[in-house]
Structure formats: C-alpha cells, structure tokens
Amino acid sequence: MNRTILVTALALIGFAQPAHSQAGALNGEWRHWGGDPGATRFSPLAALTEENVGELEVAFRWTARNFGPNPETNFRATPLMVNGVLYTTAGSRRSVAAIDAATGETLWTWRNSEEREGPRQNSGRGVAYAENAAGEGRIYVITPGFQLFLLDARTGWEIESFGEGGRVDLRATLEAEWGSPIDREDADVGSSSPPVVAGGVVVVGAAHVASLRPNSRANIPGYIQAFDAETGALKWVFHTIPRPGELGYETWEEGSADYTGNAGAWPTFTVDEEFGLVYLPTEAATSDYYGGHRLGDNLFSSTLLALNLQTGEREWHHQILRHDVWDWDNPTAPILIDIEVDGETVPAVVQVTKQSFAYVFNRATGEPVWPFVEFPVPPSDVPGERMAESQLIPTRPPAFDRQGFGPDDIVDFTPEIRALAEAALENVRFGGLFAGASLVNAPDGSTGTITLPGTTGGANWEGAVADPETGMLFVASQTAPAVLALAETPPDAEIDYVVGRFGSPTVQGIPIVKPPWGRISAIDLNEGELLWQVANADTPARIRDNPLLAGIEVPRTGWATRAGLLVTRNVLFAGEGAGGTPTFRAHDKMTGEILWEAELPASQTGMPMAYELDGRPYVVVPVAGPGAPAEFVVFTLP
C-alpha cells in the first residue's frame, strides 16, 4: 500500500481515546517498565520527527561500572523516569540508583547485602514505581535472593513499615504456600523482572533456572504472589500448577501436579486497572524438553492468565501451548492496546510468542479477535513421551518469522556452502512446526531434530512494541534453528531423559539456515496483516569476510539477535540486542526505512526508553558487552 494512503487510512480509523493502561508513556515521563501499564513501550515525543531525528546527539552517559562485584556484561535494566529522575537497577547485586534525568548525576544509591543467591544473578530488568495515598513516591525492587524491598523514591531509604523492616521474603512466603521448605542447594526460584504495582497491590512472578538437564522431575512451583503495596501483607496466591480439586488438576496425569515445578511468570507483565485485571505469561513446567513425567495438557503452564487484581481469582485464560516440550514459554509482557476491527473498537491484549505468533484476544473476555485453528502435532518416538495431539494457532496475524526447517531452508550462498551444510545435517531429522526433540542415538541412526524457531524462539523477552494511535505492532525476532536431542539417564535417576544435544551446527561460522537471521516486523493489528519486514542488522563482518564467501555479494542478512525496540509518534527506534553490533537506528514506522543510525560504545542489551524534559526529547539506550562497562547512553536534540 502507498505510504500516504496507509497513513491517511490509519488516521481516519477514529480511535476512541485510549485508556491509561495503553495510552503510552504520559506527560513526558516513563513510569512503568513498558512505558505504560499495558507495556506498549510507546512515547509520543512529538518534538522528535522523521526530519530532525538525524540531529540526535549524546546528552550524557551514565555508567554502572562500579556496581559490582563482577563486571556487568548483560545489562538488561530499563530505567523509569518520574519527576525528572531516572530510577534503575545496576550490577549483579541489583543495586538501585536514582539519576538526574537532565544531567546524568547520580542522586542516591541503595545496596542490599543479602548473602543468599538465586537463579537470576544479573542486573535485573529494573524497578517498579508507585505513589502511596499521600502522593509519596515508592520504589519496589526484587533482589537476586528473591526479596522484595520498598524504598523512598526521594532518598533511597528503606520504608521500614513495609513487611519486616522494609522487605518481604518472597522465598519464605512461597515456601509457606507450597508447604515444603525450599532447601535445595541451587535455590531454584527468583525473579529478574520488576513487579507490577497497581490498585494498592504488588504482584510478583517467579523464575527458575533453565530446565535442560534437571536432576529431578520435582521442583518448586512458580506460584503468582500478591501483596499489599503499603504494608507488604500477603493478599493472595495463584497456583499456576493446580492442587487437587482446583481447575486444571485433571490435566496433569498420574498426580504429576503434586511434584512438578516451574510454570512461573518470569518476564514482565501487565495490568488494566479499568477492568481490574493483571495479565501474566507463564512458562513451561519441569522439564523443558521432556514431559514423560507430566503427561497431559499441564494447565496453567505456558498460558496467558487474566487474574482479578484484588483477589487473584482467574477471570479467563488461554493455554498457548499444551504440554510444552519445546521451552516455548511465553517470554514477554502481554501488550494492551485498543484496536479497530470491522468497524468496532476492541480492547485487545497481544501475546507475542517464541514460536513467532502474535495471539490477539479481547482482554476483557478472553475471546480471540480472529479465529484459532487446531494444528496437528507429530507424535514423539521418545520412550514415555506423549505429545498433545494438536495446538491452537491464530489465523491472523500471520507468523512474523519462519517456522519449520526443511531442505529449502538450508543456506546456499554457493554450491560448496550448501554441500557443507548438508553434510553437517546428515544424521539430523528435519522438523516442522511443533516437532519435538528426538533421541541422541535414535534407532533410525539420527542424532537429533532440527527445529525452527529454535530453543530461544523467534521472539523472546525483548518482545514487541505497539503504537496505540495507529494500532501498529512492531516485533523483533531471530531466525535461529536448533538441533535438540534427548539422552537417557542412569537407571537410578529421578528423570528418564535430559537434553543430550543442544544448539545448531554452522558452516565454518556461517549459520545453517538461509538469511535473514534476524528481523523487525510491522503488523497492522486492525487488519491482522503484516505490513513490512526488514533485517535487524547489516551483514556482520565475520560473515562478510568469511573465506567461503570470497567474491560473493551477500545481501543485508541481519544477525541472530533480537532488537530492543522503542516506538514514538513518528519514529521506530531499534538496537541490535545482546551479541549484535553497537549500532542504534531510527526507522520509518510505515516502511522500515533507516532514517538515522549512531554508533554505541557497546551493544544494546536492555530495552530503550524515552522521556521529555523542559521541552526536549531524550532517548535512553542501555548497553554492555565484553570489555565495556554497562551504561546508559542518552540521546537528545541540540
């Protein structure tokens, strides 16, 4: 469609004024991890246009170099901005810092000296902000040891009336609800995402270590916990793995719900105060790739949950994956956005998935906006495994990345490269969408199954952003297949099979699949249609200079990373994500055309954000990398 016609058409839709939950970051601030409670990651920034975005320059850089104990090479924090102050986590102890949003001066810092550890030893994705009845600012942070602290936003001091001396021990409250002490040496529960705070309630998810080779079929369940935002008193708990007599218990055969763990909500999540609902994306159950010890559909694992914010009661749910054995858990915050479908305004929630679908529901009722269809799942020949017969997939929008791997997907820049790739895959099974892992020493001589998307998905925690003014969704994804194979464990092991082969072969450093290897997609949610796709990066030097490609003109390939996106009224911003080159770009929202790019001191790792101060727009990019300190690079107009 012609750009002018498309812009005009979107403008004529006549949206009702979006509710606060999905209106984007209001009043020039950024009070929520996702910009607004609905995680649109949209900032109006009217002063920043396609014409002047090329004038952006560095305003200041704030370094997390001195927040130890180890150099931070995977800085995932996204700061909030409230009343001219940035708030962030930093360092592997997950310290909290307040920063002057105009100058970059550090105003205060807070450090917790907890001794215990958890499974998420990193900077965390940031903090949550709320105001009490007196209008006083409060900062909520979850530490690596799974404790929830409440800080005064002005001073960084702990609010001692919250919980016990300013903190709630989330492990202890989970332990009390679970009914068993959490005494495992690996302390397998924590969270690196901030909580959601709304309506006087703090809602906390749970995360576990990757379940590739678990020692046991049993684990800690990732129950959802909610607390009073002022006192820290426990309000409710939702059992993501049902107990006897609860809805869904029958979907765990042979009593497997009684011992199976995981199924927490490890990403960020969202809330709609108008409907009084919190939307939570849950993960797979123990273990990630073998489900022979938990036969059945396994509700509420890999499910989008809509819970009553005040009571924790289930209002509706949709299980995105029945009996998930792909580790395709829901990896990103559900996005809340009002869209216009067939002339009617629909309050929507969009769940972006690792399998490269965007599931779109009416967020009030849970009804799909467009029909879902049953997609057959091939049976498994792994002893003890029984796949779900089918999975529900959306008819709209179309998949935003490639699905399934066959001969036509093999890289073929030259006949020599094609032959080397075929040799690397000689004993590997090709798998369509929903093909599961096979045995590392299968009777047919195969050594695993190559699947696409791979283990970390098309999309992942970086997810998508949405423009509430036009109904457009922008998704970052990678095209990275993985070979999965299970290996039998010793007879006395508590679990029968664990991952024995993991990853993807390459051709002397060249990915085994045809490019592009990473992309950014634009979707019109009003029509459920794909508008455009572009590669997320230039062709990496290690590919361009590969001896196998000497004399070959290689198109812009992108790279198997997931871009961190930010959308404004006029521009889509994108980094290249962890492992990408240190480049930050501005794209035309309607075409994907690159309008501007700047070199960064390291790769973009956290999600970009934006704010406005004294009439000037600011764009913040979290960066980190080997040999480079974690820091925020802050751009503004002259």
Side-chain angles (χ1 to χ4, degrees):
M1 180 182 289
N2 178 275
R3 171 190 164 90
T4 303
I5 295 174
L6 179 58
V7 172
T8 303
L10 292 170
L12 290 176
I13 286 173
F15 283 90
Q17 181 64 28
H20 171 63
S21 61
Q22 72 278 355
L26 300 176
N27 303 317
E29 296 185 317
W30 192 276
R31 290 189 170 221
H32 307 270
W33 182 87
D36 56 23
T40 62
R41 305 198 67 80
F42 172 82
S43 179
L45 289 190
L48 193 61
T49 68
E50 300 96 321
E51 287 73 27
N52 66 14
V53 68
E55 301 175 21
L56 284 172
E57 60 185 22
V58 175
F60 63 85
R61 291 162 61 176
W62 183 87
T63 181
R65 180 191 299 272
N66 296 327
F67 291 85
N70 300 314
E72 183 68 58
T73 59
N74 196 359
F75 188 40
R76 294 188 174 185
T78 295
L80 309 184
M81 198 288 268
V82 183
N83 296 326
V85 179
L86 296 167
Y87 299 98
T88 186
T89 49
S92 56
R93 282 199 181 94
R94 217 168 292 169
S95 299
V96 180
I99 306 161
D100 187 297
T103 66
E105 178 186 0
T106 301
L107 303 177
W108 58 254
T109 62
W110 171 88
R111 174 181 178 271
N112 173 48
S113 300
E114 64 185 359
E115 295 181 359
R116 72 186 190 195
E117 296 184 352
R120 304 285 165 167
Q121 297 294 316
N122 55 47
S123 69
R125 295 186 176 90
V127 300
Y129 175 90
E131 293 173 355
N132 63 12
E136 298 166 324
R138 297 288 184 256
I139 299 295
Y140 297 80
V141 61
I142 299 174
T143 65
F146 207 35
Q147 298 185 87
L148 174 65
F149 279 83
L150 179 61
L151 311 177
D152 187 312
R154 294 178 301 108
T155 63
W157 296 345
E158 295 167 15
I159 306 297
E160 294 190 358
S161 59
F162 182 79
E164 296 182 6
R167 69 180 179 91
V168 172
D169 188 336
L170 299 171
R171 190 181 298 177
T173 55
L174 181 59
E175 180 181 88
E177 183 69 20
W178 187 36
S180 298
I182 300 174
D183 57 3
R184 296 165 57 101
E185 291 183 2
D186 56 10
D188 187 11
V189 66
S191 179
S192 56
S193 292
V196 158
V197 188
V201 181
V202 185
V203 185
V204 177
H208 302 73
V209 296
S211 190
L212 300 177
R213 301 178 181 91
N215 296 319
S216 171
R217 68 185 72 182
N219 203 354
I220 305 161
Y223 295 157
I224 310 301
Q225 304 182 83
F227 304 86
D228 184 283
E230 188 70 18
T231 69
L234 182 67
K235 285 182 67 72
W236 54 259
V237 177
F238 183 85
H239 301 147
T240 53
I241 298 179
R243 292 180 170 182
E246 294 180 341
L247 177 67
Y249 183 79
E250 70 284 355
T251 68
W252 300 77
E253 296 183 14
E254 300 179 3
S256 55
D258 299 339
Y259 56 78
T260 305
N262 294 73
W266 61 264
T268 53
F269 40 96
T270 48
V271 66
D272 188 324
E273 289 194 71
E274 180 184 1
F275 293 133
L277 298 177
V278 58
Y279 303 89
L280 296 127
T282 65
E283 63 163 353
T286 314
S287 67
D288 286 345
Y289 301 101
Y290 179 69
H293 303 300
R294 52 171 173 87
L295 297 177
D297 283 353
N298 307 144
L299 202 65
F300 295 92
S301 70
S302 298
T303 295
L304 176 60
L305 278 168
L307 304 182
N308 183 292
L309 175 64
Q310 297 297 329
T311 67
E313 295 179 359
R314 182 193 61 86
E315 298 292 338
W316 62 262
H317 75 273
H318 180 87
Q319 190 171 27
I320 303 292
L321 284 174
R322 303 161 178 156
H323 191 72
D324 185 356
V325 289
W326 303 272
D327 191 25
W328 281 346
D329 47 4
N330 299 314
T332 188
I335 293 175
L336 311 186
I337 181 172
D338 289 353
I339 57 178
E340 197 79 6
V341 180
D342 297 331
E344 295 186 6
T345 300
V346 177
V349 55
V350 185
Q351 181 64 62
V352 173
T353 69
K354 290 183 179 180
Q355 57 267 39
S356 302
F357 283 126
Y359 287 79
V360 187
F361 305 89
N362 182 310
R363 67 177 179 272
T365 66
E367 292 295 317
V369 172
W370 292 285
F372 295 161
V373 295
E374 297 279 358
F375 189 94
V377 174
S380 173
D381 60 359
V382 175
E385 183 61 271
R386 189 177 75 236
M387 311 289 275
E389 292 184 0
S390 64
Q391 301 287 350
L392 281 170
I393 65 171
T395 54
R396 291 188 186 184
F400 50 79
D401 214 306
R402 284 152 61 186
Q403 298 171 323
F405 191 96
D408 292 341
D409 297 299
I410 298 174
V411 64
D412 60 357
F413 288 124
T414 67
E416 179 188 7
I417 291 172
R418 169 80 186 203
L420 290 170
E422 289 176 342
L425 296 170
E426 183 177 4
N427 295 319
V428 173
R429 297 181 186 179
F430 290 174
L433 181 62
F434 299 121
S438 53
L439 293 177
V440 72
N441 55 349
D444 64 1
S446 63
T447 58
T449 298
I450 186 166
T451 63
L452 184 66
T455 54
T456 56
N460 205 291
W461 70 269
E462 299 87 351
V465 300
D467 181 350
E469 297 181 346
T470 62
M472 293 179 69
L473 182 78
F474 304 92
V475 189
S477 63
Q478 63 178 9
T479 306
V483 176
L484 286 174
L486 299 176
E488 190 172 5
T489 58
D492 58 347
E494 292 186 36
I495 191 166
D496 292 340
Y497 291 91
V498 296
V499 171
R501 182 177 181 183
F502 186 82
S504 180
T506 64
V507 181
Q508 298 181 25
I510 300 172
I512 206 79
V513 66
K514 291 177 181 176
W517 299 311
R519 65 192 74 203
I520 301 169
S521 304
I523 296 170
D524 178 4
L525 288 174
N526 307 296
E527 301 293 337
E529 294 180 350
L530 187 66
L531 294 180
W532 54 258
Q533 289 184 315
V534 296
N536 66 353
D538 295 330
T539 302
R542 56 186 178 274
I543 298 295
R544 189 176 59 249
D545 299 335
N546 191 296
L548 288 176
L549 292 171
I552 304 298
E553 185 175 343
V554 178
R556 189 170 187 261
T557 63
W559 192 238
T561 60
R562 295 175 301 272
L565 304 179
L566 164 71
V567 63
T568 71
R569 179 163 292 157
N570 301 303
V571 177
L572 174 70
F573 287 99
E576 292 189 11
T581 63
T583 306
F584 191 58
R585 298 182 177 90
H587 294 262
D588 186 301
K589 290 198 310 185
M590 297 302 173
T591 65
E593 176 189 357
I594 297 172
L595 302 173
W596 165 82
E597 62 182 31
E599 185 176 350
L600 299 169
S603 300
Q604 167 262 317
T605 51
M607 295 296 286
M609 55 82 75
Y611 57 93
E612 190 171 334
L613 199 60
D614 298 326
R616 297 180 71 189
Y618 292 81
V619 177
V620 181
V621 189
V623 304
E631 60 180 310
F632 294 132
V633 180
V634 184
F635 294 93
T636 191
L637 291 175

